[in-house]
Amino acid sequence: MARPDKAAAVAELTEQFRASSAVMLTEYRGLSVAQLKQLRRSLAGNASYAVVKNTLTAIAAKEAGVDVLDGDLTGPTAIAFVTGEPVEAAKSLRDFAKANPQLVIKGGVLEGRKLSAEDVSKLAELESRDVLLGKAAGAFKAALFQAAYLFTAPATKAARTIEALREKQAAEA
């Protein structure tokens, strides 16, 4: 590549690193173009997937302040730049890797912290953000209903006791 082309590629990669909430590295050796196209479609909306040159990626990562990728940039590398939910992107990569064993997840970076391949697998096992928020809302709602029941229980018990006394007096009279 000519110098201006390399500088442009580094600038573009640097911008992608800065715009991403997470980055996941994969080795794509043995995958066909059709399979890579299928992987890109499965990541659409959550991440963009690009085959990159390791040296240019290392330079761009350092410029973006991501210094933890050095050891992972060996061999044929492709990067998923995650702009959506990291969990959804990790699930897409995991599912594609199960169907296509040639795809090897090397690791990545999430919020400045290095992820190993096992960490990416654990991330993929998490439930999505929407599901977790729904569960939290359900737990809060259950706690509020329980509190409301506890507050109304003494009044309900008093009303039932008064009604039972009224019925007893009416039966005696």
Side-chain angles (χ1 to χ4, degrees), residues 6-18 60 81:
K6 287 181 182 179
V10 168
E12 182 181 340
L13 285 171
T14 302
E15 185 55 39
Q16 284 182 316
F17 273 112
R18 288 185 179 140
F81 292 100

Side-chain angles (χ1 to χ4, degrees), residues 78-101:
I79 299 180
F81 292 100
V82 181
T83 54
E85 279 296 314
V87 172
E88 295 299 323
K91 283 182 183 181
S92 295
L93 285 173
R94 179 200 58 193
D95 294 344
F96 189 85
K98 280 183 183 177
N100 301 286

Side-chain angles (χ1 to χ4, degrees), residues 145-158:
F145 277 122
Q146 187 178 17
Y149 175 76
L150 287 174
F151 291 135
T152 60
T156 304
K157 187 174 181 181

